[in-house]
Amino acid sequence: MTRSLPRRRLGLRAAAVGIAAIAILGLLGAPRADAAPASCVPFGTAQIPPGVPSTGDRTGLDRFATYTGAQAPARVDLRTEKTQYNRFWEFALTDSGTLLTRALKTGTWHVVPLPSCLRGRLVGISLDDDELVGVDRAGWIYTMDNVTQSPLLWNWTSAWGAMLWTGPGRTLPDDRRGGWALSVTSPWDNRAYLDIAGRVHPSGQAKMTMIPALTGDGSRITYADPWLPNDDSYEIGSPLGGRFRSVSLSAAGSTTFVINRYGDMFTRTFDFDSSGADSVFFRYSWDPQTGKPSATNLTQETFDRSTAAVQLPAADWTRQPKIPGEISSTITVASTGPGPEKRELRVEGRRDGRIGFWHKGLHAKTWNFTATGSPLQGRMLANSAADRSSETLAAPKPWNLSTTLPSRTAAVDGQTLIDIGLPYSVIDPRMLDEVGLTAAPSRYRLSVDAFDPAVTSRQATVTTPSGRRIAIVLHTADGMRMTPSRPGLTDTPRHLVGAIEIPHDAYRDRAHDPELRRFVDTWMRGKSIAPITLSATTTDLVVR
């Protein structure tokens, strides 16, 4: 999440940001001297969104020394911790930590001058849009900005984290090989994204930056965001209800690409901002936005309610077609130009004994193969023609939660917060109780098994006063936390926003089901989907 700060109609939005700054900076303090990034690059232009338009200008490249060593690759076709590319440049990192660059598809490599404290220190790189990150052996992240511009403008910072990319720096969530990547969506190179209804939305006046990384057994995708607290609590719920175990990950333009050991692949376009979590700067709705035009910019979208809001829930994972051949664990997704979801997927592999890569557009149905003759970079996978995703599933979460739904006579609920324009993703329902905005219980009870807060949608039930169980879908999106937290559920309440939805067929036929019809007419207020705000621990759930 990387946002500029346009004017806000409601002073509450600015107040929410201010409170966040005080809380986070007070908690984080300064890092220990023995656990900090290199100190010579504390500030850089990456901290000042949105940057300048992409040009690919090569002015200044001739000032970089020509590389004469033997470690430069002949080709750069895949994004790995040692080789990277965007629409204008290729980069390579040697075993000694020397960073190399050349203009895309040209022959001469040059040595990128590094700040003194980074020379020989970098062991991995990742590039997307106009940013490149390097990491050192301890996993500390360093960002080089303006990498779609003249090399004269390239500059570094070690800063990362709240507030507003001024945090003292952070390490990767997990530094496994092939398990992390930089993702950037900018107003210049991507410009827009799609919501679940396929409607185009402006990405904003700044950038969406994050580093997703596989953690644990590969079923968790933790992401580091330079505007959020430096912790491991923010996740992209992995495929198949958060249980799909990946062996490799790639990311670009907010699109994450994962693969398991049997060659089953999924993609998802997801960011903190587009997922429903950032109500300070974005306007969301759980209702269909049929008939409303897309806004031309983020400010218009935020305040002009005649334009379409971002429709929730966030789009889920898309299963990609299997590759008809040998493949390795080295995968790549890259943006191909301005516009939503213009992405290319690449997977290293072999065909007829020749090494190369399989490739296709994000939404294409078939894969093509390009032979390169390059050395194999990944480990070969047991790719199968059949789907074997179910063979790599992690255990379900142990959190089975239940709560009485609040009465609809409450003064404030999830829909109220949306209607009056409050930044509801920072307002935990327990806070409402603390200030006297309590809600009487209804006679309906919500139950959800194996609740994983990282997952966007899951099956749940509502029990009526007569004991009848109604199948519903419970959608959630992360809240905007003010202080660092731990992953998953703990004894400390975790705030989420969400909605209760009646499945389409049941809602359509509700006239034939008196108890369902009564629940829809009363608690759901006649709609098929009802916004809520909720707060969860390992043992309890509060809904408003």
Side-chain angles (χ1 to χ4, degrees):
M1 177 185 73
T2 308
R3 297 287 121 213
S4 60
L5 299 172
R7 295 180 190 174
R8 295 287 154 190
R9 181 178 58 188
L10 298 171
L12 285 167
R13 293 181 183 272
V17 174
I19 292 170
I22 293 171
I24 293 169
L25 292 176
L27 181 67
L28 289 177
R32 303 191 317 272
D34 62 345
S39 61
C40 71
V41 285
F43 303 106
T45 60
Q47 299 164 265
I48 311 172
V52 292
S54 301
T55 64
D57 184 10
R58 301 180 187 181
T59 302
L61 181 62
D62 57 356
R63 300 186 184 185
F64 292 1
T66 300
Y67 179 69
T68 58
Q71 293 189 32
R75 310 174 50 123
V76 175
D77 299 301
L78 298 162
R79 288 176 154 187
T80 72
E81 285 87 343
K82 296 295 184 180
T83 58
Q84 293 286 326
Y85 67 89
N86 62 13
R87 293 195 297 131
F88 304 106
W89 302 97
E90 296 174 347
F91 287 85
L93 184 67
T94 70
D95 293 340
S96 62
T98 301
L99 183 62
L100 310 178
T101 190
R102 67 181 179 186
L104 191 69
K105 304 302 182 184
T106 59
T108 303
W109 287 97
H110 298 266
V111 178
V112 179
L114 295 178
S116 58
C117 61
L118 298 185
R119 294 171 193 163
R121 183 164 180 162
L122 301 182
V123 297
I125 57 173
S126 185
L127 168 69
D128 196 33
D129 204 308
D130 67 346
E131 297 175 21
L132 178 146
V133 296
V135 296
D136 63 17
R137 288 180 179 82
W140 288 104
I141 298 167
Y142 306 91
T143 307
M144 186 169 76
D145 195 30
N146 294 331
V147 196
T148 56
Q149 312 299 325
S150 160
L152 295 174
L153 300 177
W154 297 355
N155 67 96
W156 292 85
T157 180
S158 60
W160 191 280
M163 188 68 187
L164 312 182
W165 211 330
T166 60
R170 74 157 291 165
T171 57
L172 288 177
D174 195 311
D175 62 356
R176 71 182 69 193
R177 184 168 182 253
W180 64 276
L182 174 68
S183 167
V184 180
T185 294
S186 77
W188 312 120
D189 277 32
N190 297 110
R191 301 181 185 172
Y193 63 93
L194 302 180
D195 66 15
I196 194 171
R199 190 174 291 106
V200 177
H201 294 274
S203 61
Q205 293 92 339
K207 293 184 284 189
M208 299 176 179
T209 299
M210 66 173 175
I211 300 178
L214 300 178
T215 55
D217 62 1
S219 67
R220 316 308 298 173
I221 304 174
T222 302
Y223 65 91
D225 184 309
W227 269 36
L228 297 177
N230 283 336
D231 62 23
D232 291 339
S233 68
Y234 286 96
E235 296 183 58
I236 304 172
S238 61
L240 304 182
R243 299 175 60 193
F244 181 83
R245 289 192 291 188
S246 304
V247 296
S248 295
L249 174 150
S250 183
S254 301
T255 299
T256 301
F257 179 26
V258 295
I259 188 170
N260 72 358
R261 58 184 174 139
Y262 298 122
D264 301 303
M265 297 167 289
F266 289 84
T267 55
R268 186 182 191 188
T269 300
F270 175 99
D271 184 85
F272 181 85
D273 294 320
S274 63
S275 68
D278 185 3
S279 62
V280 174
F281 296 123
F282 287 74
R283 181 167 61 91
Y284 309 106
S285 177
W286 295 94
D287 294 318
Q289 300 296 286
T290 307
K292 293 184 178 182
S294 295
T296 58
N297 58 69
L298 184 60
T299 301
Q300 180 190 26
E301 182 173 286
T302 302
F303 299 118
D304 183 356
R305 297 206 168 197
S306 69
T307 63
V310 179
Q311 186 172 329
L312 299 176
D316 206 347
W317 292 90
T318 297
R319 185 187 295 274
Q320 293 295 335
K322 299 283 287 195
I323 292 174
E326 296 180 276
I327 60 173
S328 88
S329 58
T330 299
I331 63 175
T332 293
V333 57
S335 298
T336 57
E341 301 198 351
K342 290 186 177 180
R343 311 283 186 268
E344 183 188 36
L345 307 180
R346 296 183 179 184
V347 179
E348 184 185 49
R350 285 193 298 245
R351 189 174 71 174
D352 300 329
R354 301 184 68 188
I355 295 173
F357 61 93
W358 300 88
H359 53 94
K360 75 176 192 68
L362 181 63
H363 300 296
K365 302 299 183 184
T366 59
W367 294 87
N368 297 306
F369 184 82
T370 296
T372 64
S374 301
L376 193 67
Q377 300 182 65
R379 62 187 183 280
M380 298 304 293
L381 301 179
N383 188 34
S384 63
D387 169 39
R388 299 181 68 181
S389 301
S390 62
E391 298 179 39
T392 63
L393 297 184
K397 290 299 179 185
W399 304 309
N400 302 322
L401 303 178
S402 182
T403 187
T404 299
L405 291 175
S407 166
R408 283 311 207 178
T409 62
V412 178
D413 59 21
Q415 185 65 62
T416 308
L417 296 174
I418 292 175
D419 290 344
I420 64 180
L422 282 172
Y424 68 99
S425 61
V426 301
I427 300 177
D428 189 296
R430 298 176 203 261
M431 294 170 53
L432 298 175
D433 293 336
E434 289 173 2
V435 298
L437 294 173
T438 58
S442 74
R443 300 180 67 193
Y444 293 103
R445 189 164 190 84
L446 171 69
S447 300
V448 56
D449 293 335
F451 181 73
D452 184 344
V455 173
T456 298
S457 303
R458 77 284 291 157
Q459 300 298 313
T461 60
V462 167
T463 304
T464 70
S466 70
R468 160 79 189 285
R469 293 168 63 86
I470 298 172
I472 59 101
V473 179
L474 176 62
H475 304 293
T476 57
D478 231 326
M480 184 181 287
R481 289 182 287 284
M482 301 294 99
T483 56
S485 184
R486 288 180 290 165
L489 297 183
T490 66
D491 294 337
T492 301
R494 179 172 185 143
H495 175 224
L496 302 106
V497 296
I500 290 174
E501 182 174 19
I502 306 298
H504 174 77
D505 290 348
Y507 181 77
R508 181 195 59 201
D509 298 335
R510 66 190 183 281
H512 305 294
D513 186 335
E515 288 205 73
L516 173 60
R517 185 178 69 245
R518 189 176 301 112
F519 177 65
V520 169
D521 291 344
T522 57
W523 204 91
M524 299 290 292
R525 293 169 173 156
K527 299 195 301 183
S528 64
I529 192 164
I532 58 174
T533 178
L534 59 159
S535 180
T537 70
T538 57
T539 58
D540 81 324
L541 185 65
V542 175
V543 172
R544 184 62 59 82

